[in-house]
Amino acid sequence: MSDIMEYKCPACGGAMEFDSKSQKMKCPYCDTEMAVEEFQRTQQGQEAEQTGAAGGGTWQAMGDGQWQEGETDGMRIYSCESCGGEIVAEESTGATVCPFCGNRVVMKGQFSGDLKPDYIIPFKLDKKDAKAAYQKHLQGKKFLPKIFKSENHIDEIKGVYVPFWLFDADAEANIQYNAEKIRVWETGNMEYTEHEYYQAQRSGGISFKHVPADGSRKMDDTLMESIEPYNFNEAVPFQSAYLAGYVADRYDVNKEERMTRAAERIKESAESSFGKTVQGYHSVTPVSSNVNVYNAQYCYVLYPVWLLNTTWQGNKYTFAMNGQTGKMVGDLPADNGAFWRFVASRGVIIGAIIYALMWAIALI
């Protein structure tokens, strides 16, 4: 069996890649296109499409997580010498730059031991879309230094499949609230204010599907949650051919650790959903909350993310784009001088308005 995973074009022998626009395997040399399933069937050593198995109980796996014989042949792990990040790609990918920090990566060893992803959402947007989204992200930022657009340069744009643990669960919630109604009225020259206090309770069940928690320590959780949501309806059973032309981040946070975050998100969402039903009050404050999670299941998926690393004045800035929806997030430098000029100008305007009002009152 070959030591290298090759995605060879059946027509010309060139390297096939997954094309995000057509959602097919495409040869850049002869333009041959094939459906991913058809292409997989032509590859030596590939087995039939995996089947998932879901079960009841607490935190049950929705898939078997096992690689078929020969599926990991030629997969390699590349390790960044700077941030320690690890990515998984075919041996022939020639990856030399870390998609997380932009520094050099080196081949670490044979891929083995990890769970096989149950599902993958293929890239729908390409590198051009990522560049366009980045430029759009820079527009309309009042305090962005004007020269940032022209002086900063994109060091690297990488399409990365980021590992996520997805959790399905049912929850039973019992939440107590303090609520208040306020009534104001006038009688003669007197103004009256009446406060009425209530206790409200909400109990019931609620179900959650595909609650995500990223499985990578080097990916900032806030950054990954900011580019949500993903449309899981477009997820397909994992096939390694989807990795062609991209890299896959190797998960280094196991499902047990991420269950805690998933439970937190389920609790927060349940409290928010139940809280929206407490209406007709001027203020509502939760005072106690009991949310029990049950019938919980999990699966392991890869989600598409474009990572852009830029440099300006010696500082690095990282941006992430949802490779399915195009949602872009990332921190930008701020022009402190422009900010304080804005504050000062608004202060002058507000001061002038107050001064004019005082004169008008004095003349009455």
Side-chain angles (χ1 to χ4, degrees):
M1 190 172 292
S2 172
D3 289 332
I4 300 177
M5 177 179 288
E6 296 179 315
Y7 301 105
K8 284 188 175 181
C9 172
C12 71
M16 297 280 277
E17 295 182 350
F18 177 73
D19 180 59
S20 60
K21 296 299 183 184
S22 65
Q23 295 291 289
K24 295 180 178 180
M25 300 298 292
K26 184 174 182 179
C27 177
Y29 304 101
C30 68
D31 292 330
T32 295
E33 289 187 350
M34 299 178 69
V36 172
E37 292 77 8
E38 181 185 359
F39 178 77
Q40 286 284 115
R41 287 194 294 269
T42 68
Q43 303 303 291
Q44 222 174 13
Q46 295 297 326
E47 300 292 333
E49 181 179 312
Q50 91 173 57
T51 57
T58 302
W59 303 118
Q60 296 294 315
M62 288 185 276
D64 59 22
Q66 300 300 313
W67 294 94
Q68 301 299 317
E69 183 180 354
E71 260 190 309
T72 62
D73 288 348
M75 283 190 179
R76 296 292 183 268
I77 297 170
Y78 294 82
S79 178
C80 176
E81 295 181 325
S82 177
C83 73
E86 294 182 346
I87 60 175
V88 177
E90 66 269 24
E91 187 178 52
S92 58
T93 195
T96 57
V97 178
C98 176
F100 310 109
C101 70
N103 288 312
R104 182 171 173 264
V105 298
V106 295
M107 190 172 77
K108 182 179 180 181
Q110 180 77 25
F111 176 81
S112 64
D114 288 346
L115 293 177
K116 176 183 177 180
D118 298 303
Y119 297 96
I120 185 172
I121 293 182
F123 275 89
K124 293 190 68 176
L125 302 172
D126 60 19
K127 186 178 291 188
K128 290 182 180 178
D129 296 318
K131 287 183 178 179
Y134 169 70
Q135 294 299 328
K136 185 177 180 180
H137 184 67
L138 300 183
Q139 296 174 5
K141 303 297 191 295
K142 290 183 179 180
F143 307 120
L144 182 69
K146 293 182 178 179
I147 58 175
F148 179 80
K149 291 183 181 180
S150 58
E151 284 194 357
N152 93 95
H153 60 88
I154 299 175
D155 301 320
E156 185 73 10
I157 300 180
K158 279 287 185 181
V160 180
Y161 282 109
V162 176
F164 278 82
W165 297 102
L166 297 190
F167 301 91
D168 292 359
D170 296 323
E172 195 74 29
N174 188 333
I175 307 173
Q176 304 282 341
Y177 304 88
N178 285 338
E180 180 183 11
K181 285 184 178 180
I182 301 174
R183 186 168 71 96
V184 179
W185 72 95
E186 292 183 0
T187 301
N189 294 326
M190 299 293 292
E191 180 181 272
Y192 299 89
T193 301
E194 179 184 75
H195 296 266
E196 295 181 333
Y197 299 96
Y198 301 84
Q199 287 186 331
Q201 179 179 353
R202 292 294 184 269
S203 299
I206 186 170
S207 296
F208 296 88
K209 288 286 188 182
H210 314 314
V211 178
D214 78 82
S216 173
R217 296 191 191 280
K218 51 200 166 291
M219 299 302 298
D220 182 81
D221 289 350
T222 302
L223 188 68
M224 289 296 98
E225 291 179 7
S226 296
I227 60 175
E228 294 177 9
Y230 286 87
N231 180 8
F232 190 79
N233 291 333
E234 296 180 348
V236 296
F238 175 81
Q239 298 185 68
S240 59
Y242 286 110
L243 301 183
Y246 303 94
V247 294
D249 183 13
R250 188 190 190 197
Y251 76 83
D252 54 6
V253 182
N254 60 39
K255 58 185 178 295
E256 287 78 15
E257 291 183 70
R258 301 316 279 154
M259 286 174 186
T260 300
R261 177 55 184 155
E264 289 175 355
R265 299 192 74 179
I266 288 171
K267 183 176 184 293
E268 291 167 1
S269 296
E271 290 174 341
S272 175
S273 297
F274 279 65
K276 291 176 182 177
T277 69
V278 186
Q279 300 178 353
Y281 302 96
H282 290 93
S283 67
V284 177
T285 305
V287 292
S288 67
S289 174
N290 184 19
V291 180
N292 294 317
V293 177
Y294 63 99
N295 289 341
Q297 301 174 328
Y298 65 87
C299 65
Y300 171 39
V301 302
L302 296 180
Y303 278 170
V305 178
W306 282 103
L307 292 178
L308 293 81
N309 291 296
T310 70
T311 301
W312 186 63
Q313 292 187 349
N315 296 316
K316 289 191 175 183
Y317 299 88
T318 299
F319 302 84
M321 187 186 88
N322 184 315
Q324 180 190 39
T325 67
K327 185 177 181 180
M328 168 76 73
V329 297
D331 293 330
L332 291 167
D335 185 339
N336 291 327
F339 171 77
W340 287 113
R341 286 193 296 272
F342 174 82
V343 172
S345 64
R346 291 302 182 272
V348 170
I349 294 172
I350 293 172
I353 293 173
I354 294 174
Y355 184 76
L357 288 173
M358 291 178 65
W359 268 103
I361 293 171
L363 293 174
I364 293 176

